[in-house]
């Protein structure tokens, strides 16, 4: 079992995730379904400078907290009180090895700390609109697991573009269920899939 595999299936980039989901808020099967929907939002054809790139997603589930899975915890923290010393909600830990086995992954495994937190933020998850919003959050966070980096900077509670050249649609932030996938890294994702290698770090 591997947390993430990247490979080519004919001409399609395949992102194969193995997940363990620890549901501490909401109905477990519904939360699992929403997370799957969020990952499936990544699928599609993306324009790049090397031509269109098609992405497919495969999702498997582990029965328990595992070194071979992206361990996800679903919680309900509302209001969200972000502190510099806290693990934060909705924050992927991809830069500490979410997608590969290693010392940081082992440390989190021993302490039973998840790789990704998903916060339902007090929403009534029986409502379809809230389900769509949460699926968008999942898409965003697992973009980080794939190695994608935000294109904005957090300054005085305002999210601004990291560079003026960044297109509006490339701002990777939660904007409800209208959020775009992060297309500016698709070329690199394909290169990794062709070599069946994971990105070494986020860029």
């Amino acid at each position: 079992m591997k947390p993430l595999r990247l490979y080519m299936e004919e001409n399609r980039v395949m992102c194969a995730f193995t997940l363990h989901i620890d549901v501490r808020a909401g109905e477990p099967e519904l939360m699992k379904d929403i997370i799957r929907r969020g990952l499936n939002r990544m699928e599609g054809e993306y324009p790049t400078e090397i031509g269109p790139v098609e992405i497919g997603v495969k999702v498997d589930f582990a029965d328990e907290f595992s070194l071979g899975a992206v361990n996800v915890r679903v919680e309900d923290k509302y209001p969200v009180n972000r502190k510099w010393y806290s693990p934060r909600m909705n924050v992927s830990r991809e830069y500490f090895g979410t997608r590969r086995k290693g010392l940081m992954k082992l440390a989190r495994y021993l302490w039973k700390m998840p790789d990704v937190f998903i916060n339902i933020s007090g929403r009534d998850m029986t409502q379809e609109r809230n389900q769509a919003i949460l699926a968008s959050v999942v898409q965003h966070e697992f973009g980080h697991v794939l190695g994608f980096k935000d294109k904005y900077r957090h300054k005085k509670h305002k999210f601004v573009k990291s560079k003026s050249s960044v297109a509006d649609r490339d701002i990777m932030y939660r904007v409800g269920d209208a959020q775009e996938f992060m297309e500016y890294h698709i070329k690199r994702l394909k290169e990794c899939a062709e070599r069946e290698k994971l990105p070494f770090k986020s860029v």
Side-chain angles (χ1 to χ4, degrees), residues 147-164:
F148 297 172
K149 187 178 180 181
D150 293 319
K151 287 290 186 177
Y152 60 80
R153 291 175 180 167
H154 191 185
K155 294 183 177 179
K156 295 182 180 179
H157 306 290
K158 293 182 180 179
F159 290 90
V160 298
K161 296 178 182 181
S162 57
K163 295 179 181 178
S164 60

Side-chain angles (χ1 to χ4, degrees), residues 77-159:
K77 299 290 185 181
Y78 182 80
V80 177
N81 187 15
R82 294 182 183 272
K83 301 289 186 180
W84 67 268
Y85 55 80
S86 77
R88 293 185 168 195
M89 297 297 102
N90 295 344
V91 176
S92 158
R93 299 310 184 87
E94 55 85 17
Y95 41 86
F96 285 147
T98 292
R99 57 183 177 261
R100 66 177 78 243
K101 297 177 183 179
L103 288 178
M104 295 307 298
K105 184 80 169 176
L106 177 61
R108 285 202 312 281
Y109 172 76
L110 293 175
W111 287 96
K112 293 295 186 284
M113 289 294 295
D115 301 304
V116 178
F117 295 88
I118 299 296
N119 182 15
I120 68 174
S121 301
R123 299 185 182 97
D124 177 1
M125 296 314 301
T126 63
Q127 296 183 6
E128 290 187 11
R129 172 63 174 167
N130 288 335
Q131 293 177 21
I133 290 172
L134 192 66
S136 181
V137 170
V138 170
Q139 175 188 354
H140 177 109
E141 296 311 320
F142 277 83
H144 288 312
V145 173
L146 288 172
F148 297 172
K149 187 178 180 181
D150 293 319
K151 287 290 186 177
Y152 60 80
R153 291 175 180 167
H154 191 185
K155 294 183 177 179
K156 295 182 180 179
H157 306 290
K158 293 182 180 179
F159 290 90

Side-chain angles (χ1 to χ4, degrees), residues 2-5 7 14-21 31-43 56-62 70 72 138 142:
K2 293 184 178 180
L4 170 65
R5 283 185 61 219
Y7 60 94
M14 292 300 301
C15 306
F17 298 95
T18 301
L19 310 180
H20 171 257
I21 304 175
M31 293 299 102
K32 182 182 287 189
D33 180 62
I34 293 171
I35 289 172
R36 187 195 294 273
R37 275 186 265 163
L39 291 170
N40 286 341
R41 285 170 55 101
M42 297 178 178
E43 294 191 319
V57 172
K58 183 176 184 293
V59 182
D60 290 313
F61 292 98
V70 179
V72 181
V138 170
F142 277 83

